[in-house]
Coordinates of all heavy atoms in Angstrom, one line a residue:
W314 N 2.8 5.1 -12.7 CA 1.8 5.0 -11.6 C 0.4 5.0 -12.2 O 0.0 5.8 -13.1 CB 1.9 6.2 -10.7 CG 3.0 6.3 -9.9 CD1 4.2 7.0 -10.2 CD2 3.3 5.7 -8.7 NE1 5.1 6.8 -9.2 CE2 4.6 6.0 -8.3 CE3 2.5 4.9 -7.8 CZ2 5.1 5.5 -7.1 CZ3 3.1 4.3 -6.6 CH2 4.4 4.6 -6.3
V315 N -0.4 3.9 -11.9 CA -1.7 3.7 -12.4 C -2.7 3.5 -11.3 O -2.3 3.3 -10.2 CB -1.7 2.4 -13.3 CG1 -0.9 2.7 -14.6 CG2 -1.4 1.2 -12.6
S316 N -4.0 3.8 -11.6 CA -5.0 3.7 -10.6 C -5.1 2.3 -10.1 O -5.0 1.3 -10.8 CB -6.3 4.1 -11.2 OG -6.3 5.4 -11.7
T317 N -5.5 2.2 -8.8 CA -5.7 0.9 -8.1 C -6.7 1.1 -7.0 O -6.9 2.2 -6.6 CB -4.4 0.4 -7.6 OG1 -4.7 -0.9 -6.9 CG2 -3.8 1.3 -6.5
A318 N -7.4 0.0 -6.6 CA -8.3 0.1 -5.5 C -7.7 -0.2 -4.2 O -8.4 0.0 -3.2 CB -9.4 -1.1 -5.8
H319 N -6.4 -0.4 -4.1 CA -5.8 -0.7 -2.9 C -5.5 0.6 -2.1 O -5.2 1.6 -2.7 CB -4.4 -1.5 -3.1 CG -4.6 -2.7 -3.8 ND1 -5.3 -3.7 -3.2 CD2 -4.2 -3.1 -5.0 CE1 -5.2 -4.8 -4.1 NE2 -4.6 -4.4 -5.1
G320 N -5.8 0.5 -0.8 CA -5.6 1.7 0.1 C -4.4 1.4 1.0 O -3.8 0.4 1.0
V321 N -4.1 2.5 1.8 CA -3.0 2.3 2.8 C -3.5 1.6 4.1 O -4.6 2.0 4.6 CB -2.5 3.7 3.2 CG1 -1.4 3.6 4.3 CG2 -1.9 4.4 1.9
T322 N -2.9 0.7 4.5 CA -3.3 -0.1 5.7 C -2.3 0.2 6.9 O -1.2 0.7 6.6 CB -3.3 -1.6 5.5 OG1 -2.0 -2.0 5.1 CG2 -4.3 -1.9 4.3
G323 N -2.8 -0.1 8.1 CA -1.9 0.1 9.2 C -0.7 -0.8 9.4 O 0.3 -0.4 10.0
R324 N -0.7 -1.9 8.7 CA 0.4 -2.9 8.8 C 0.8 -3.3 7.3 O -0.1 -3.6 6.6 CB 0.1 -4.0 9.6 CG -0.1 -3.8 11.1 CD -0.5 -5.0 11.8 NE -0.6 -4.8 13.3 CZ 0.4 -5.0 14.2 NH1 1.5 -5.3 13.8 NH2 0.1 -4.7 15.5
S325 N 2.0 -3.3 7.1 CA 2.5 -3.7 5.8 C 2.6 -5.3 5.7 O 3.0 -5.9 6.6 CB 3.8 -3.0 5.5 OG 4.3 -3.6 4.3
D326 N 2.0 -5.7 4.5 CA 2.1 -7.2 4.3 C 3.4 -7.5 3.4 O 3.5 -8.6 3.0 CB 0.9 -7.8 3.6 CG 0.6 -7.0 2.2 OD1 1.4 -6.0 1.9 OD2 -0.3 -7.5 1.5
R327 N 4.2 -6.5 3.3 CA 5.5 -6.7 2.5 C 6.6 -6.4 3.5 O 7.0 -5.3 3.6 CB 5.5 -5.8 1.3 CG 4.5 -6.1 0.3 CD 4.6 -5.3 -1.0 NE 4.6 -3.9 -0.9 CZ 3.5 -3.2 -1.0 NH1 2.4 -3.8 -1.2 NH2 3.4 -1.9 -0.7
P328 N 7.2 -7.4 4.0 CA 8.2 -7.3 5.1 C 9.4 -6.4 4.5 O 10.0 -5.7 5.3 CB 8.6 -8.6 5.5 CG 7.7 -9.6 4.8 CD 6.9 -8.9 3.8
L329 N 9.7 -6.6 3.3 CA 10.9 -5.9 2.9 C 10.7 -4.4 2.9 O 11.6 -3.6 3.1 CB 11.2 -6.4 1.4 CG 12.0 -7.6 1.3 CD1 12.1 -8.1 -0.1 CD2 13.4 -7.4 1.8
E330 N 9.4 -4.0 2.6 CA 9.1 -2.6 2.6 C 9.2 -1.9 4.0 O 9.7 -0.8 4.2 CB 7.7 -2.3 2.0 CG 7.4 -0.8 1.9 CD 6.0 -0.7 1.4 OE1 5.5 -1.6 0.8 OE2 5.6 0.4 1.3
S331 N 8.8 -2.8 5.0 CA 8.7 -2.3 6.3 C 10.0 -2.5 7.1 O 10.1 -1.9 8.2 CB 7.4 -2.9 7.0 OG 7.7 -4.3 7.2
A332 N 10.9 -3.3 6.6 CA 12.0 -3.7 7.4 C 12.8 -2.5 7.9 O 13.3 -2.5 9.1 CB 13.0 -4.7 6.7
L333 N 13.1 -1.6 7.0 CA 14.0 -0.5 7.3 C 13.2 0.9 7.3 O 13.8 1.8 7.6 CB 15.1 -0.4 6.3 CG 16.0 -1.6 6.3 CD1 17.2 -1.5 5.3 CD2 16.6 -1.8 7.7
T334 N 12.0 0.9 6.9 CA 11.2 2.1 6.9 C 11.1 2.8 8.3 O 11.3 3.9 8.4 CB 9.7 1.8 6.4 OG1 9.9 1.5 5.0 CG2 8.9 3.0 6.5
D335 N 10.9 2.0 9.3 CA 10.8 2.6 10.7 C 12.1 3.2 11.1 O 12.1 4.2 11.8 CB 10.2 1.5 11.7 CG 11.2 0.2 11.7 OD1 11.9 0.0 10.7 OD2 11.1 -0.6 12.6
V336 N 13.2 2.5 10.7 CA 14.5 3.0 11.1 C 14.7 4.4 10.4 O 15.1 5.4 11.0 CB 15.6 2.1 10.6 CG1 17.0 2.7 11.0 CG2 15.5 0.7 11.1
A337 N 14.5 4.5 9.1 CA 14.8 5.7 8.3 C 13.7 6.8 8.9 O 14.0 8.0 8.9 CB 14.5 5.6 6.9
H338 N 12.6 6.4 9.2 CA 11.6 7.4 9.6 C 12.0 8.0 11.0 O 11.9 9.2 11.2 CB 10.2 6.8 9.8 CG 9.2 7.7 10.5 ND1 8.7 8.8 9.8 CD2 8.5 7.7 11.7 CE1 7.8 9.4 10.5 NE2 7.7 8.8 11.6

Side-chain angles (χ1 to χ4, degrees):
W314 293 93
V315 296
S316 299
T317 178
H319 300 297
V321 176
T322 60
R324 291 175 180 268
S325 172
D326 59 353
R327 297 190 295 270
L329 275 171
E330 180 179 355
S331 61
L333 299 179
T334 293
D335 53 346
V336 181
H338 174 67

